[in-house]
Amino acid sequence: MNTSVHNLSQQESILNSFMAEIRDKNIQSDRLRFRRNMERAGEIIAYEISKTLDYISRPITTPLGISNCQVLEEQPVLATILRAGLVMHQGFLNVFDSAYRLHHGDSDSFEVKVEYLASPEIDGKTVILCDPMLATGSSMVLAYKALLKRGLPKHIHIATVIASEAGINFVQENLPDNITIWAAAIDSELTPRAYIVPGLGDAGDLAYGEKV
Ligand code: URA
């Protein structure tokens, strides 16, 4: 089985309108709106991923009776590459509100959150790795290798707002097959400084301001 890739821009949905605002240099200068749009893109990608997860039926007591509802069988582990990933991460947390969390800060370390300590192993778990810009793919491969120190996940979903074709190829060549890539859009070009073209610019700077 090959890594599967979902390019969500190929479907007609409101996500494409959010992407238009995320990419538009006149609209993205409103930092608050940019962050909210990245969060909304995260929510929609999370919803798409949620359709592939396993559910169990649970009897829920309403004020008037019992309703058998489908609920997630197991919460996924959310791992996010900092700093630009934080806004997208919030969108994922809005959807997977009880997920375990991991943050990837540099090439080889995770800042471990309290929720994660409650379940330190990712062995056999579903992991969602968020990076809003999958440019060269090298941070993603490093993040995956760092993750393996916590166990061997059952499945990894890589969630990105914009991926480059080169980044997707690099991930496919360097990571195993039990991975699904979800991108709100896939662009063809990468500059020598690893910016995606047409892309959106620097996602971290747009969300939080230029580095000082
Ligand atoms: N990171 C960004 O913020 N933008 C790109 O185009 C590539 C990586």
Side-chain angles (χ1 to χ4, degrees):
M1 194 182 79
N2 289 324
T3 313
S4 53
V5 180
H6 296 270
N7 179 356
L8 300 177
S9 72
Q10 288 172 342
Q11 303 166 15
E12 287 190 348
S13 86
I14 193 69
L15 177 59
N16 296 325
S17 302
F18 297 165
M19 289 301 293
E21 288 201 5
I22 282 171
R23 289 181 189 269
D24 188 323
K25 67 177 189 172
N26 295 315
I27 298 177
Q28 62 179 205
S29 59
D30 176 353
R31 223 178 267 164
L32 181 63
R33 187 161 190 92
F34 180 78
R35 287 196 301 268
R36 185 64 190 108
N37 277 329
M38 292 292 273
E39 188 180 327
R40 293 201 289 183
E43 286 167 356
I44 290 175
I45 300 168
Y47 175 67
E48 291 295 328
I49 293 175
S50 80
K51 296 177 191 171
T52 71
L53 302 179
D54 294 327
Y55 294 82
I56 49 171
S57 181
R58 181 169 294 162
I60 301 294
T61 308
T62 79
L64 297 174
I66 303 287
S67 172
N68 288 315
C69 299
Q70 297 287 315
V71 294
L72 261 185
E73 186 170 28
E74 188 182 52
Q75 289 293 329
V77 176
L78 284 185
T80 299
I81 296 181
L82 300 177
R83 127 188 107 130
L86 278 178
V87 268
M88 193 183 170
H89 179 84
Q90 184 56 50
F92 270 78
L93 272 184
N94 294 346
V95 174
F96 298 116
D97 53 14
S98 304
Y100 297 109
R101 282 175 261 167
L102 278 170
H103 290 282
H104 185 241
D106 55 39
S107 61
D108 200 27
S109 69
F110 282 99
E111 181 190 332
V112 179
K113 296 289 177 190
V114 173
E115 290 83 348
Y116 178 69
L117 289 175
S119 175
E121 288 301 316
I122 59 164
D123 243 1
K125 290 205 185 302
T126 297
V127 174
I128 301 173
L129 249 172
C130 295
D131 187 359
M133 306 297 284
L134 185 70
T136 62
S138 57
S139 308
M140 190 52 79
V141 170
L142 287 172
Y144 174 83
K145 289 185 177 154
L147 260 181
L148 290 186
K149 292 177 188 159
R150 313 279 183 193
L152 195 62
K154 174 171 70 180
H155 195 90
I156 296 204
H157 294 277
I158 290 177
T160 185
V161 172
I162 305 182
S164 73
E165 285 172 2
I168 287 183
N169 292 340
F170 188 78
V171 166
Q172 286 180 318
E173 282 159 17
N174 289 281
L175 295 187
D177 286 344
N178 63 338
I179 285 181
T180 310
I181 300 175
W182 302 82
I186 298 176
D187 288 358
S188 54
E189 221 181 300
L190 202 55
T191 69
R193 293 190 61 214
Y195 277 95
I196 299 173
V197 181
L200 56 80
D202 188 306
D205 286 1
L206 286 164
Y208 300 113
E210 285 179 25
K211 295 163 208 77
V212 283

